[in-house]
Amino acid sequence: NVIWQKKYTVANDAHWLSDNHDHILVYCKDGTLWRPNKLPRSAKMDARYKNPDNDPKGLWKATPLHAKSGSAAGSEFTYRFSNGVEWGPPPGTFPRFSRETLDRLAANNEIWFGKNGNNIPSRKTYLKDIEQGGTTALTLWMYDEVGHNHEAKEEVKAFNPKDVFATPKPERLIERILRLASNPGDLVLDSFAGSGTTGAVAHKMGRRFILIEQGEHCHTHILPRLRQVIDGTDPGGVTAATGWKGGGGVRYYRLAPSLMAKDRFGNWVVNPAYNAEMLAEAVCKLQGFTYAPSEAEGWNHGFSTERDFIYVVGQPLTHGQLAQLSEEVGPNRTLLVCCAAFRAGADEFANLTLMKIPNAVLKRCEWGRDDYSLAVAALPEAPESAPEPPAAPVRRTQPADPDELTLFTAPPTA
């Protein structure tokens, strides 16, 4: 849990306490494997390093030779340096280094005894040894490091001065998050894009991104903002810090309606919003076929191999229509028929596999929902031996030569 100081002013009109912070929850898939990236060192951090003895190794700062432990371990440890100084860890602490390491540090002039040589000895920690690795992020992020609410609203005004987004986040805050959790070329997902800050910062930092927005912010905020980022006309935010000069591009998609919907009787039917072409393309994708409608054969909507095809139709098919299909397909090819209903036995035609569209779709996806509140409920414990999932329908496909199988690779159906 990271604390972000989102405001720097005191709300004197607050009924209780001035609300000046927000929470940033950090999750990872496997805490034993994931490690956040280091942050760049600041000039303030580097200013702590000096070189009062003109050490040729460069800037350094003094680090105590003992580590705090709260115990008396190491209280009997003493070490005599070549200049006669005898050192031991203070009571309740223990030495950081062994005698062999202290010998090496002293021989390399990496022990500091003070300007007059009478200070408690300390180890020199050189800036050159740590600046490349960066610094570890704290769980407290102050506004002067990662920005605040007022800064975020000023950034929004740069591309939409008439409609300032209610709860924008400063680009410096998102930059900190992406720097810790991603690398150039990684894919960043923001399921609630808002004013598009995540996309703008990810683009400037060389990350790919997917933004999802249900409201009109996509047109009033996100697209105008990303256009400025791509054109290089967005001087604010982290533009200077990342060295961004413009470039790249984005693709904009509108999510299609649910493929299946329930009629007034509660039965699953094809959504009326889908025309024949949209239905065929969607079912092809779900069944793992390449959508490629044939101009010569009206029943050929796509293929999985050179001899295996698919036909998608939103109406019921009679026995006679299926018999004609079987004859046109022929004995050397197979056809998956996805229709609203069929009047024939499922195994009646050797070269056809019959499947109702609701079953073909509902087994692979959950449709007709509009609840993305992300409410978390206590789930029941899984049974000791979970039942096996139902087996997928067995497809009858014509065997193909090994050489032919290399021409087309069927995409995964899950």
Side-chain angles (χ1 to χ4, degrees):
N1 179 22
V2 174
I3 304 299
W4 166 44
Q5 186 185 14
K6 65 180 181 180
K7 292 168 56 179
Y8 59 89
T9 57
V10 178
N12 289 315
D13 57 348
H15 292 292
W16 299 286
L17 304 177
S18 178
D19 180 18
N20 283 55
H21 76 277
D22 261 339
H23 300 271
I24 300 172
L25 303 182
V26 183
Y27 290 86
C28 66
K29 185 175 181 179
D30 189 342
T32 63
L33 298 177
W34 180 74
R35 295 293 181 268
N37 294 326
K38 300 290 186 179
L39 296 178
R41 296 185 57 82
S42 65
K44 183 178 180 181
M45 295 177 182
D46 293 346
R48 302 169 186 165
Y49 290 78
K50 310 291 184 182
N51 193 358
D53 62 345
N54 296 318
D55 192 317
K57 299 185 185 71
L59 301 174
W60 56 269
K61 72 174 183 179
T63 302
L65 297 179
H66 65 275
K68 297 180 180 179
S69 66
S71 69
S75 58
E76 304 300 323
F77 182 93
T78 58
Y79 182 87
R80 181 179 294 276
F81 291 94
S82 58
N83 60 359
V85 174
E86 188 173 277
W87 172 85
T93 68
F94 64 91
R96 291 179 183 267
F97 311 104
S98 65
R99 298 182 185 276
E100 293 76 11
T101 302
L102 290 174
D103 289 340
R104 176 177 54 81
L105 294 176
N108 292 335
N109 188 31
E110 296 181 14
I111 299 295
W112 174 246
F113 297 93
K115 291 184 177 181
N116 299 322
N118 54 9
N119 287 8
I120 297 176
S122 300
R123 179 199 178 183
K124 294 180 181 179
T125 301
Y126 294 92
L127 178 60
K128 67 179 181 63
D129 294 333
I130 64 172
E131 60 182 353
Q132 297 298 327
T135 184
T136 302
L138 304 178
T139 55
L140 180 62
W141 296 357
M142 308 305 290
Y143 75 87
D144 57 344
E145 298 176 358
V146 296
H148 45 76
N149 283 346
H150 180 71
E151 177 179 318
K153 291 184 177 181
E154 291 299 316
E155 291 171 356
V156 173
K157 288 180 181 179
F159 58 88
N160 193 332
K162 296 181 180 180
D163 182 15
V164 178
F165 191 71
T167 57
K169 302 300 181 289
E171 289 197 9
R172 287 195 291 164
L173 176 67
I174 304 301
E175 191 268 349
R176 167 72 63 87
I177 294 173
L178 297 188
R179 184 177 294 277
L180 289 174
S182 69
N183 297 303
D186 283 354
L187 184 60
V188 178
L189 170 66
D190 188 345
S191 300
F192 307 92
S195 63
T197 307
T198 298
V201 176
H203 199 69
K204 295 175 184 179
M205 295 179 67
R207 275 69 167 168
R208 299 173 299 145
F209 59 91
I210 297 175
L211 307 181
I212 303 173
E213 179 52 57
Q214 188 172 335
E216 281 302 307
H217 309 303
C218 179
H219 306 103
T220 61
H221 291 75
I222 299 175
L223 288 176
R225 184 174 199 166
L226 292 179
R227 287 192 186 101
Q228 289 192 13
V229 173
I230 293 168
D231 294 341
T233 58
D234 172 27
V238 298
T239 297
T242 58
W244 179 249
K245 303 296 183 182
V250 296
R251 291 174 179 160
Y252 166 52
Y253 299 91
R254 185 182 296 275
L255 191 64
S258 295
L259 177 57
M260 305 302 295
K262 285 188 176 181
D263 62 13
R264 59 192 183 95
F265 303 106
N267 300 316
W268 286 105
V269 296
V270 176
N271 193 326
Y274 275 74
N275 58 36
E277 291 76 15
M278 294 168 59
L279 174 63
E281 185 173 4
V283 175
C284 280
K285 182 177 181 64
L286 291 172
Q287 294 298 323
F289 282 73
T290 299
Y291 178 65
S294 171
E295 296 182 0
E297 298 171 316
W299 50 265
N300 185 351
H301 288 154
F303 62 87
S304 63
T305 69
E306 283 189 319
R307 299 182 185 182
D308 188 34
F309 303 90
I310 186 172
Y311 175 46
V312 183
V313 58
Q315 286 78 37
L317 295 179
T318 65
H319 186 280
Q321 290 171 321
L322 291 172
Q324 183 178 354
L325 270 177
S326 177
E327 182 179 351
E328 293 184 14
V329 171
N332 296 321
R333 297 186 295 182
T334 55
L335 180 68
L336 172 62
V337 180
C338 297
C339 55
F342 51 87
R343 295 183 179 179
D347 299 326
E348 192 167 345
F349 302 98
N351 57 354
L352 302 183
T353 299
L354 307 180
M355 187 179 295
K356 292 183 179 180
I357 289 180
N359 296 336
V361 173
L362 294 175
K363 286 182 179 180
R364 285 171 168 77
C365 301
E366 183 179 23
W367 300 95
R369 289 183 59 85
D370 190 21
D371 176 18
Y372 302 100
S373 60
L374 299 183
V376 178
L379 300 177
E381 293 185 1
E384 293 184 2
S385 58
E388 292 292 331
V394 177
R395 290 287 324 284
R396 295 187 297 274
T397 59
Q398 186 72 22
D401 295 334
D403 291 339
E404 294 176 348
L405 291 178
T406 60
L407 296 177
F408 299 96
T409 301
T413 59

